[in-house]
Amino acid sequence: MTTNEHTQIGFLIFPGFPMACLTSMIEPLRAANEIAGTDTFSWKLVSENGARVEASAQVWFEPDLGLEDCGALDQLFVLSGPSSRFDNPTTSDGRLRKFARHGLKMGAISGGIFPLARAGLLSGYTTSVHWCYDAAFAAEFPRLKSTEDVIMIDRDRSTASGAAAAFDLSLLLIEDALGSDVATEVACWFQHPLVRGQGVTQRKPTFAAESTHDMLPPIVKKAVEIFSEHIEDPINIADVADQVDVSVRQLERLFDKTTGNTPGGYYKSLRMHKARQLLLYSKDSLTQIAISVGYASAPSMAKRYQEVFGVHPEEDRKKINMFRVRENKIVPSA
């Protein structure tokens, strides 16, 4: 299949952006052009002011355009860490909104959803949020609708949760422009094991065993989902057992077998991992974080946090900031 249409895609990169997300989108597009014998896709790197940008892997990139020059693009994807912000947010957010009003399709990969949301461009849309950012995203944007799906295409907004999902998103772009045969051949070129479309949920670690959430037996999986819905307002284990229609003892045996932990221990660990997300990817105080994960005070939360991670939350935040701050400027994580 060939096409006469040409799509020019821009990738807006912030300091500390995840390089894997960029290559995971560009390489399939390059391969599709080669396989189809067309120049269907082209791409440009964009930074806020056109200056070179260092990725999280400490590799430097030379952008082709500054943000002000993006009017001729067909699509623009934002790649960043969750803490990334424009140097001049008033002007740059305004430019993004102007481009969107004039028909430029917008998207974001991984932490790139944060700058896009801060510009007001995800309001009214459903957004794919990486599981490690979901607590911070919900805290900063409580009114925005999110999903655990690896990809979400909602009208003229496309979001992907991470690098592998970015590859899948490129395959969808290829399929739309060049057909499923080309998209499948591109996937095979890179030995991409599964062509995932919308509706596929992210795989998440269980935090307690060498397994992922999708590998858990139905009763344990349902219990974990209930735990996840009750992070801020803790629920009794007995009530969870009732909801999944087993005895507390049976639930304990199932958790021990599949996670190596008790239901209560797993629940506390889950709440602590949510606390760590907020600690690393938000500016909330320890008291605010404690309340968000169901603790009455910061000291009680800090005690449990130290038991789980072996470090006091204040020290953990200080440690991560040592790697994020360079010359008094935040260097976002990937």
Side-chain angles (χ1 to χ4, degrees):
M1 178 178 178
T2 59
T3 178
N4 293 322
E5 296 183 0
H6 179 81
T7 300
Q8 185 161 254
I9 299 173
F11 296 99
L12 175 58
I13 54 177
F14 283 76
F17 79 95
M19 186 172 68
C21 293
L22 178 64
T23 57
S24 289
M25 285 211 73
I26 289 179
E27 282 299 300
L29 301 177
R30 174 197 61 80
N33 284 346
E34 188 170 340
I35 289 169
T38 68
D39 61 350
T40 302
F41 300 102
S42 63
W43 44 89
K44 298 288 186 180
L45 295 187
V46 182
S47 68
E48 181 178 10
N49 55 14
R52 64 199 299 255
V53 175
E54 186 181 17
S56 59
Q58 298 181 340
V59 176
W60 286 91
F61 286 79
E62 298 282 352
D64 305 289
L65 304 171
L67 183 58
E68 63 181 346
D69 301 316
C70 290
L73 298 175
D74 299 298
Q75 297 189 43
L76 180 67
F77 288 94
V78 182
L79 283 73
S80 75
S83 303
S84 297
R85 297 177 185 271
F86 286 119
D87 289 336
N88 189 341
T90 300
T91 299
S92 296
D93 286 344
R95 282 176 175 152
L96 284 180
R97 290 191 291 268
K98 178 182 177 181
F99 291 141
R101 288 195 302 270
H102 285 80
L104 178 60
K105 295 180 180 179
M106 297 283 182
I109 311 299
S110 188
I113 59 175
F114 285 81
L116 202 60
R118 290 179 189 124
L121 291 169
L122 292 179
S123 297
Y125 295 88
T126 300
T127 304
S128 173
V129 181
H130 193 290
W131 61 265
C132 75
Y133 298 147
D134 59 359
F137 190 80
E140 186 171 351
F141 310 106
R143 296 185 179 181
L144 296 187
K145 186 177 180 181
S146 65
T147 178
E148 292 185 346
D149 289 357
V150 294
I151 295 170
M152 173 52 63
I153 300 175
D154 187 351
R155 292 159 289 164
D156 53 356
R157 299 289 185 273
S158 300
T159 49
S161 53
F167 195 106
D168 293 316
L169 181 55
S170 276
L171 291 177
L172 292 179
L173 297 177
I174 293 165
E175 182 176 11
D176 185 59
L178 296 169
S180 59
D181 288 346
V182 174
T184 299
E185 187 169 349
V186 170
C188 291
W189 266 33
F190 292 95
Q191 291 296 290
H192 195 61
L194 178 66
V195 181
R196 301 179 298 180
Q198 295 190 83
V200 178
T201 303
Q202 297 174 48
R203 300 185 73 185
K204 297 180 291 184
T206 63
F207 303 123
E210 294 180 359
S211 62
T212 54
H213 181 262
D214 58 307
M215 297 167 62
L216 295 174
I219 290 176
V220 175
K221 186 176 181 179
K222 179 60 177 177
V224 170
E225 290 171 354
I226 295 171
F227 290 155
S228 299
E229 294 167 357
H230 290 271
I231 298 296
E232 186 173 349
D233 55 330
I235 187 172
N236 292 325
I237 302 302
D239 292 334
V240 176
D242 286 342
Q243 290 189 40
V244 298
D245 200 25
V246 297
S247 67
V248 172
R249 180 58 184 151
Q250 186 177 357
L251 189 63
E252 289 174 344
R253 286 196 296 267
L254 286 169
F255 263 82
D256 181 61
K257 181 178 180 180
T258 57
T259 73
N261 204 344
T262 65
Y266 186 96
Y267 189 19
K268 290 178 181 177
S269 179
L270 182 64
R271 289 161 64 194
M272 285 301 98
H273 279 84
K274 292 292 184 181
R276 193 164 195 262
Q277 289 180 26
L278 292 169
L279 190 82
L280 301 184
Y281 305 122
S282 81
K283 295 182 179 180
D284 290 354
S285 68
L286 291 190
T287 298
Q288 290 172 315
I289 293 172
I291 293 171
S292 296
V293 297
Y295 283 81
S297 66
S300 59
M301 187 273 289
K303 180 179 178 182
R304 180 60 184 172
Y305 190 100
Q306 193 157 7
E307 290 174 357
V308 173
F309 299 113
V311 61
H312 191 278
E314 288 183 344
E315 290 299 316
D316 209 9
R317 176 170 271 180
K318 186 184 299 182
K319 180 175 63 175
I320 197 67
N321 282 341
M322 288 174 61
F323 296 98
R324 290 187 184 165
V325 177
R326 183 177 303 152
E327 296 178 353
N328 296 320
K329 291 185 178 181
I330 293 177
V331 180
S333 75

